[in-house]
Amino acid sequence: MFLKRKYIPIIVTIALFLAMFAAGSFRYTGFFSLQVLMNLFVDNAFLLITAIGMSFVILSGGIDLSVGSIIALTTMVSASLIQQQGWSPAVVIPLVLLMGAVFGSGMGAIIHYFKIQPFIVTLAGMFLARGLCYVISIDTITIDNAFYTNVAQTKITLPGGSFISISAIVALIVTAAAIFIAHYTRFGRNVYALGGNEQSALLMGLPVARTKVLVYAFSGFCSALAGVVFTFYMLSGYGLHAVGFELDTIAAVVIGGTLLTGGVGYVLGTFFGVLIQGVIQTLISFDGTLSSWWTKIVIGLLLFTFILFQRILSARRSILRQ
Amino acid sequence: MKTIYKHHLFWPLCVLAALMLFNLFYSPDFFSITLQDGHLYGSLIDILNFGAPLVLVAIGMTLVVATSGIDLSVGSIVAISGAIACLSISKGSDQNMLSLILISVLMAVVLSLLLGVWNGLLVSVAGIQPIIATLILMVAGRGIAQLITGGQIITVTSDKYTYIGSGSLATLPFSIFVVAAVLVTAVLLTRKTALGLFIESVGCNPMASLMSGIRAKWVMMSVYIFCGLCAGIAGLLLSSNVSSADGNNAGLWYELDAILAVVIGGTSLNGGRFYLLGTVVGALIIQTLTTTIYMIGVPPEITLVVKAFVVLAVCLIQSSAFRAALALRWKKRHYPGEKEIARHVS
C-alpha cells in the first residue's frame, strides 16, 4: 500500500476517532446512532470554530492564547448591547465579529512589527479581553432576546429523525471555508510557507507582514464567531465563560496532527481533533461511573501520544533527508 | 550614575517604588505595621505572605526561562501538591500528629519532583518544544488534582500544617523564611558555582554548550525538576494558608503570573540571561499591584486589564524594534525640517 508520509498523522487521527466511536458503539447501547454523531457537532460547534482559527495561527508558527477570553468578551458585549442597550442583533453580531477581527489584527501587528513572542502578546490580549468583560459587568447577563432564543431552539431535522442546530451548521460552513482557504488560495499557501520558514518566506517575496496580521485577525474573527455561537448555546454573557478554553483548542489542533512548530498540518485534522475530544466526553457521560475530570487526563494522554508520534515521525524524516 | 540606570533592577525597583508612593498618598495605612501577640500585621507583611507562593513559582520559572524554555504546568503542580498533602492529612486519625504532617509534606515534595522529572524528560530527552511538553501536564494535571480531591475541596483541621502557610517565626510569617531559604539556595547555586553559567550557556545555544563539554540535557532536566519542586512547595504554602485544597482553582493562572514576574524582572524569554532578584521584585510588583487595587476599592477584576497593559508595556520596552521605532520618532521630532526637505528633494 502506498501512503504519503505527510498523510500519516491525519490518517491516525481519523482512525482514532473511528475506533473510539466504534468502541463506544459496542460498549454502550444507544451509542451508535446518527443523533450521537450530530450531538458532537451541536455541543462542540464553538470549539470547532475556534480551533479552526487556531489551526491557521499554529500553521503560521505562532500561538494564540486569547481565544477563550475573546469568546467571553463577545458574549459579554453582545449580552450588554442587546439586553441593556436594546440594540438589534442584526447590528450587534457584525459588530462583535468586527471587534474580534480588529482585536486579533492588533495583536498580530504587535507580534510582527515589534518582534515580540506571540505567546506573550496573546497572553496580554487574554488578560485584556478577560478584564474588559469585568469592566462591562461582574455578573451574568441573561439574554431573552427573541432572535437569540429562536436560534437557540431551532432544530433542523435531518432524514432519519435526528436533528442539528444552526450553530452546528455555521461550524460546518466555517470548516468547509477554512479547508478551501488553507489549500486552494494564495493566502493559505502563504500561511504554510510562513510556518515552514519565515526567513525563506520573506526572501521569496511573500507578504509576511500582511499574512501574519491576517492570520491573527482570522483567529480573532473565528473566536468572536465562536463567541456568538456560544451566546446562542448559553443564552447569557459572563466574564467566566470559556475559562481555559485556549488549552482545549490547542489540544484539538495538536491531536489533529498539526505540528506546533508550524508549516505542517491540515484543517481537516483539527476537525477530527475536535470530534475526538467530543467523543471522549460522550464516552465518559455514557459510562456514568467515570468522573468528568477524566476527560482532562485522557486528553492529556492523547496529547502526549500525538506529540511523541510527531516527534518520532519528524526525527525519521530528518534522518531520511540526510 | 549610568551604572545605576543601566542596572537590571533599576526599572523593576522604580515600578515598585512608584506603586509604594501611590499607596503612601492614597492610603497611608498601607505602611502601618502593628505588633499583636508576637505577630506583625500590616499590608506590607500581607504582601510578603500572600506573595510567597508566587515568588517561589517565579524563582523556579526564572531558571527554566533562562534555558529558553517555559513551564506551563506550574499551576497544575501547585494544585496537585496541595491536594496530595491535604488528602493524606485528612485521612490521618490525628491530624495534628507531627509525623503525619512530615510524611504528607514529604509525599507532596516527592510527587512534585517526579512531575518535574516528567517535564524534564519530555523537553531534554524527547526534545519536544517546552511550551508543548509542559502543556500536557498543564491539561492533565488539573484533572489529576481533581481526581485526588474527588472534585471536592478537602479541608484539614491541623494547626501544625497551617503553620507552614500562616504561622509566624520571630514575628514574621513562616512562609517568608521558606521563600528566603529557596531563594538563597538558588542564588548560591547559580552565582557561586558554575551552574548558573551552564544554564545561561544552554539557554544561548544548547548545541554549542554540548560541544564545549556541558551536559546540556542534564542541565535542562535539573532546571525543570527544580521548577517542579518550587511549584510543589508553593502548593504546600498555598493550601496550608487556607487549610484546604481545591483541585479546580488552586494555582489557577499561576503559570501566567510567574512568567509575567520573570519578564518584569528583566529576564528575556529568549533565554541565556537571568536575574533571580529581578524576578522576586517582579513577583512583589504583581502582588503589590493586586493588593493596591483591592485597597483602593476598584473591583479586583480590573487587575486583569492593568496586568495586560503592564505585560505589554514591559515587552514593548524590551523589544528592540519598538525602541528603534520610538527613537526614530524622537529624532524626527528634533528635526522637523528634515521631513520637509525630504519631500522637496523627492
Side-chain angles (χ1 to χ4, degrees):
Chain A
M1 194 171 74
F2 178 72
L3 260 183
K4 268 193 184 166
R5 181 172 294 277
K6 63 176 189 173
Y7 291 131
I8 293 178
I10 193 170
I11 289 170
V12 171
T13 308
I14 296 174
L16 186 71
F17 168 70
L18 293 177
M20 288 175 109
F21 200 79
S25 310
F26 281 115
R27 181 84 172 71
Y28 308 109
T29 45
F31 192 95
F32 187 74
S33 69
L34 194 60
Q35 190 54 56
V36 170
L37 189 65
M38 287 304 138
N39 280 347
L40 291 182
F41 294 117
V42 173
D43 294 335
N44 295 298
F46 48 93
L47 178 59
L48 184 55
I49 298 173
T50 325
I52 280 174
M54 182 73 88
S55 308
F56 278 81
V57 174
I58 291 182
L59 278 176
S60 79
I63 200 151
D64 188 352
L65 294 180
S66 69
V67 290
S69 313
I70 293 185
I71 290 180
L73 185 61
T74 310
T75 67
M76 212 62 197
V77 169
S78 359
S80 83
L81 286 183
I82 286 172
Q83 253 354 83
Q84 294 171 345
Q85 313 293 327
W87 290 28
S88 150
V91 183
V92 171
I93 293 178
L95 191 72
V96 290
L97 291 180
L98 184 70
M99 181 193 75
V102 169
F103 198 96
S105 51
M107 289 191 300
I110 294 177
I111 290 168
H112 181 77
Y113 290 110
F114 298 135
K115 310 241 173 323
I116 308 180
Q117 281 162 332
F119 183 84
I120 286 293
V121 175
T122 55
L123 180 68
M126 172 177 135
F127 281 145
L128 184 61
R130 192 68 77 185
L132 287 177
C133 292
Y134 292 112
V135 173
I136 296 173
S137 162
I138 298 178
D139 304 313
T140 317
I141 306 176
T142 325
I143 297 177
D144 55 9
N145 182 287
F147 176 75
Y148 273 80
T149 44
N150 279 342
V151 172
Q153 285 158 2
T154 307
K155 288 174 178 173
I156 300 160
T157 41
L158 297 172
S162 58
F163 65 86
I164 197 166
S165 66
I166 292 180
S167 308
I169 292 184
V170 172
L172 290 175
I173 292 173
V174 171
T175 314
I179 291 176
F180 176 77
I181 293 174
H183 304 300
Y184 299 99
T185 64
R186 191 182 299 170
F187 172 69
R189 275 195 296 276
N190 288 349
V191 170
Y192 274 93
L194 190 60
N197 190 333
E198 189 177 333
Q199 205 65 39
S200 312
L202 195 67
L203 291 176
M204 263 155 64
L206 296 182
V208 168
R210 196 176 66 201
T211 311
K212 219 180 214 176
V213 173
L214 270 179
V215 158
Y216 286 93
F218 181 68
S219 174
F221 172 83
C222 282
S223 310
L225 186 60
V228 171
V229 168
F230 200 73
T231 322
F232 290 142
Y233 194 75
M234 303 296 275
L235 285 178
S236 68
Y238 187 33
L240 276 179
H241 274 329
V243 166
F245 197 69
E246 44 285 332
L247 300 173
D248 290 344
T249 317
I250 296 171
V253 175
V254 173
I255 294 174
T258 301
L259 215 56
L260 271 146
T261 40
V264 179
Y266 298 95
V267 176
L268 193 66
T270 302
F271 177 76
F272 279 99
V274 170
L275 289 187
I276 286 179
Q277 285 204 18
V279 166
I280 295 172
Q281 260 152 26
T282 317
L283 282 173
I284 283 168
S285 66
F286 261 81
D287 187 272
T289 59
L290 289 173
S291 40
S292 64
W293 37 88
W294 273 103
T295 319
K296 287 181 185 162
I297 300 178
V298 176
I299 290 175
L301 283 176
L302 271 182
L303 259 177
F304 171 63
T305 323
F306 269 83
I307 291 166
L308 214 58
F309 179 72
Q310 287 178 356
R311 183 75 204 151
I312 293 166
L313 272 187
S314 59
R316 276 185 58 191
R317 192 159 50 182
S318 59
I319 289 168
L320 282 180
R321 212 176 272 161
Q322 286 169 0
Chain B
M1 185 62 205
K2 198 164 185 186
T3 48
I4 299 174
Y5 174 77
K6 287 277 174 192
H7 195 266
H8 67 269
L9 280 178
F10 179 76
W11 285 110
L13 281 176
C14 275
V15 175
L16 194 60
L19 273 173
M20 294 284 181
L21 205 65
F22 175 79
N23 276 309
L24 185 67
F25 288 116
Y26 203 89
S27 49
D29 284 351
F30 189 82
F31 289 95
S32 75
I33 292 176
T34 53
L35 187 71
Q36 266 177 7
D37 315 325
H39 302 270
L40 287 177
Y41 288 97
S43 297
L44 289 178
I45 306 289
D46 280 350
I47 289 176
L48 289 179
N49 194 15
F50 295 138
L54 180 60
V55 176
L56 266 181
V57 173
I59 289 172
M61 185 71 87
T62 309
L63 295 188
V64 171
V65 169
T67 64
S68 74
I70 207 159
D71 190 345
L72 294 183
S73 68
V74 286
S76 294
I77 299 182
V78 165
I80 293 176
S81 135
I84 198 85
C86 285
L87 180 78
S88 137
I89 291 173
S90 68
K91 285 271 161 63
S93 50
D94 177 15
Q95 297 202 3
N96 259 327
M97 210 157 50
L98 189 63
S99 58
L100 176 72
I101 309 280
L102 287 180
I103 290 175
S104 311
V105 167
L106 193 69
M107 261 169 65
V109 167
V110 170
L111 191 64
S112 49
L113 277 177
L114 286 179
L115 292 174
V117 171
W118 161 261
N119 279 335
L121 276 178
L122 287 187
V123 173
S124 69
V125 178
I128 300 168
Q129 262 178 298
I131 186 174
I132 307 313
T134 52
L135 179 72
I136 297 170
L137 192 57
M138 182 184 186
V139 175
R142 268 285 144 217
I144 295 172
Q146 282 166 325
L147 198 68
I148 294 172
T149 61
Q152 311 285 315
I153 295 176
I154 299 184
T155 321
V156 292
T157 48
S158 163
D159 295 338
K160 289 210 174 71
Y161 185 63
T162 317
Y163 182 80
I164 304 175
S166 47
S168 59
L169 183 73
T171 72
L172 281 173
F174 181 66
S175 53
I176 295 182
F177 292 94
V178 177
V179 172
V182 174
L183 179 66
V184 168
T185 317
V187 169
L188 285 182
L189 274 179
T190 53
R191 293 302 180 213
K192 294 294 164 199
T193 70
L195 194 63
L197 192 65
F198 289 177
I199 290 174
E200 289 182 340
S201 140
V202 169
C204 280
N205 190 338
M207 204 59 198
S209 353
L210 190 70
M211 298 293 184
S212 53
I214 297 171
R215 295 191 175 177
K217 280 187 178 172
W218 281 105
V219 172
M220 272 194 191
M221 183 98 181
S222 51
V223 157
Y224 282 91
I225 295 173
F226 179 72
C227 189
L229 177 69
C230 285
I233 300 176
L236 288 174
L237 289 185
L238 202 66
S239 68
S240 119
N241 200 335
V242 292
S243 292
S244 62
D246 179 356
N248 229 344
N249 295 317
L252 202 62
W253 307 129
Y254 255 56
E255 50 284 337
L256 303 179
D257 276 350
I259 296 168
L260 183 55
V262 171
V263 174
I264 291 178
T267 304
S268 159
L269 280 168
N270 296 323
R273 201 92 181 86
F274 69 95
Y275 307 102
L276 281 169
L277 287 180
T279 299
V280 174
V281 176
L284 288 179
I285 288 175
I286 296 174
Q287 192 63 37
T288 314
L289 192 67
T290 317
T291 313
T292 308
I293 287 172
Y294 273 114
M295 277 186 74
I296 59 177
V298 175
E301 288 77 15
I302 310 268
T303 342
L304 283 173
V305 178
V306 178
K307 263 186 202 165
F309 284 112
V310 172
V311 184
L312 212 56
V314 168
C315 292
L316 284 178
I317 293 171
Q318 279 191 9
S319 145
S320 51
F322 180 74
R323 281 199 306 252
L326 214 62
L328 203 67
R329 171 72 51 83
W330 193 67
K331 258 186 204 157
K332 276 203 180 133
R333 223 189 300 161
H334 269 254
Y335 308 105
E338 200 179 55
K339 227 182 198 173
E340 229 160 89
I341 294 167
R343 204 167 49 224
H344 276 295
V345 168
S346 66

